[in-house]
Amino acid sequence: MIISINKAIELLNSNDIVALPTETVYGLAGRIDSDSALKKIFQCKRRPLFDPLIVHVKDVSDAIKYSTSWNPLEIYLATKFWPGPLTIIKEKNNSISELITAGLNKVAIRSPDHSIFQEILKSTQCPLAAPSANIFKSTSPTSSQHVLDEFKCEIPVVEGGNCNVGIESTVIEIFIDVNSNYLIHIYRPGIIGPKQIQNALQNTEWYNVPIEYKPSPVSPGQLQEHYRTKKPLEVVLVDSLSTLEKYYHLNNDCLVPKLSTDVHIAARELYGNLRLADKRCSNTQFLTLYFFHELWNHPDWYPLKERLLKAASTIKNLK
Ligand code: TXA
Ligand code: MG
């Protein structure tokens, strides 16, 4: 059911949950001070309680209220990229329920870049916890229709158009080693990658801080099986369309519509195209998505590759 912004605020303030648009994917939101709303998020998504949630705040000054000791580099990056698709892991303070962090002493925080989400945060005056608005392990939603299609229980959704980024935020944690040197770990790749972070650090004292992809040492939330379509997905790596044509019919309903060769547009298309093929493929076998080798191995495309490695049940290499 599509609801107005005012209705969403009313529901949130009465301990209910609503699906809201962000620039990355739609989120299933509840007030962080409402344990009953937080529990509903986990129940509705069928998400295990060990998988921690992201807290969405208005801005940096809000973020500082819900966690302890932000160092200058964290403040700098948050100021540079927020509102936007960057999530920062911080020590939590007592205002953050353990339901949100799955018992961990750290919390994931970001400020979403969507006017509707921001308007709602200004009104609730309370941050909102929000995982992607999909059933646990399934493809993330990038439109209100995706959310409506996803849940059997009636989830109220605020219409916010198609998500502009299209894949989830980059998740990072910043460490300081024994020699007081900073280190940035990226736990979940996203559109803000090492290159974008490095650019932001140019001409600052942090210009040579190492930035590395690392799986999160504590969060069991980053499971191998994720973003899954209903029918099993086969990813086929090819050098050209003519290679693909030797083995597949290109006007096959189970073939995922072609992604753009521009990474920002492809990120926006990815989940929608997977969902479209999943819906229209009447054949009960599997979906096929093809990807060019050149892009598959390109660092700018790593965030999409990471999603597909988790979404696919098979990866096939065609020469
Ligand atoms: O773009 C996004 O981040 C979207 C929109 C709705 O904001 N949200 C989203 O939430 O993707 P979710 O729950 O689907 O993913 C949260 C990710 C998981 O990979 C989880 O493991 C990680 O954040 N995470 C949350 N809290 C963490 C913590 N304390 N330590 C390490 N990782 C954490
Ligand atoms: Mg998710």
Side-chain angles (χ1 to χ4, degrees), residues 25 45 47 51 131-134 137-138 140 168 188 226-227:
V25 298
K45 263 187 76 90
R47 178 170 173 130
D51 195 354
S132 49
N134 54 270
K137 288 189 181 175
S138 92
S140 310
E168 298 81 352
R188 180 171 68 183
H226 211 152
Y227 317 111

Side-chain angles (χ1 to χ4, degrees), residues 24 47 52 54 56 106 108 110 131-132 168-169 188 219 221-222:
T24 58
R47 178 170 173 130
I54 295 178
H56 296 70
K106 293 182 179 169
R110 85 177 191 100
S132 49
E168 298 81 352
S169 60
R188 180 171 68 183
S219 173
Q222 309 208 320

Side-chain angles (χ1 to χ4, degrees), residues 122-175:
K122 278 189 195 105
S123 174
T124 56
Q125 303 255 336
C126 173
L128 300 174
S132 49
N134 54 270
I135 302 288
F136 183 58
K137 288 189 181 175
S138 92
T139 312
S140 310
T142 52
S143 74
S144 56
Q145 191 58 49
H146 294 164
V147 182
L148 296 173
D149 290 347
E150 182 79 6
F151 293 98
K152 295 283 174 285
C153 57
E154 277 261 296
I155 292 286
V157 190
V158 178
E159 175 59 63
N162 292 341
C163 299
N164 198 30
V165 173
I167 56 169
E168 298 81 352
S169 60
T170 307
V171 178
I172 65 166
E173 183 165 0
I174 299 177
F175 295 94

